[in-house]
Amino acid sequence: MTDFSTLPVKAQTRLAQISESVSDVVPKETKSWIIQTYFLVEDGQKPAIINEVKEWFEKNCLYLYTFQITSKNVAPPAVFSVYSDAKKSKKGARAYARLNKESEWLYVGSSKIIYQRLKEHLGFGSKQTYALHLMHWARSLDLEIKFECAKYPPGTSKIALQALEDTLWEELLPMFGRQGVR
């Protein structure tokens, strides 16, 4: 039988441990790139940003990242609508990330191999991986998107990074994806 009466104390202890684990976690480096969706061509050459991020990548580091709409000519409702249509019709037979609500922030996530995760979000990765798959729906919008990434040093706790990601997710409330451990 489950002892639910001790659960509050156990949760309090766990939250205190998480609190302590994030107290001194700061990124080693942050960097941002601009993505123009018009240049994401299906069956085309992979964008240079993938190689740029791969060169910036360091093994054993952890990464926290965001995608933000920076276009002045495309409003979030238009992005929401086009993505929603692509998700409903399963455009490109892709596994599209969860749809939340309209926001200038598209996605908040973390990764151990950031260039691979970026490749998936751009639409050049596996069809079965939940991601933005921008190439398959956003090209017609000609979006300008800022991809911003923080690199955390080797030894950074996965629990701490998850707490930071969850906090950033709650703060930004991105249009796509889900909060919490996958």
Side-chain angles (χ1 to χ4, degrees), residues 31-40 47-53 66-73 104-106 118 122 134 142-149:
K31 193 163 181 172
S32 65
W33 294 265
I34 296 296
I35 300 165
Q36 300 283 48
T37 61
Y38 179 77
F39 295 107
L40 300 176
I49 186 176
I50 294 170
N51 284 333
E52 290 173 25
V53 173
T66 61
F67 286 92
Q68 178 188 19
I69 300 170
T70 53
S71 298
K72 301 297 179 220
N73 59 338
E104 72 179 270
W105 297 95
L106 295 180
L118 173 63
L122 294 179
L134 290 163
D142 192 16
L143 285 175
E144 179 182 277
I145 298 170
K146 181 167 73 168
F147 171 65
E148 191 167 17
C149 191

Side-chain angles (χ1 to χ4, degrees), residues 57-126:
F57 168 79
E58 288 180 43
K59 194 174 180 180
N60 299 320
C61 288
L62 296 175
Y63 300 85
L64 186 56
Y65 63 90
T66 61
F67 286 92
Q68 178 188 19
I69 300 170
T70 53
S71 298
K72 301 297 179 220
N73 59 338
V74 183
V79 175
F80 187 92
S81 177
V82 172
Y83 184 88
S84 180
D85 290 346
K87 183 173 172 67
K88 282 179 195 166
S89 69
K90 299 180 180 168
K91 189 172 185 179
R94 299 278 163 163
Y96 290 96
R98 177 183 293 176
L99 187 59
N100 299 314
K101 64 178 192 159
E102 296 170 8
S103 171
E104 72 179 270
W105 297 95
L106 295 180
Y107 200 90
V108 171
S110 61
S111 179
K112 285 177 63 176
I113 306 174
I114 191 60
Y115 63 88
Q116 180 62 38
R117 189 65 177 131
L118 173 63
K119 196 166 125 178
E120 293 162 351
H121 282 304
L122 294 179
F124 292 89
S126 170

Side-chain angles (χ1 to χ4, degrees), residues 40-46 123-124 135-136:
L40 300 176
V41 180
E42 201 166 347
D43 298 325
Q45 188 174 13
K46 291 178 185 149
F124 292 89
M135 174 178 57
H136 299 279

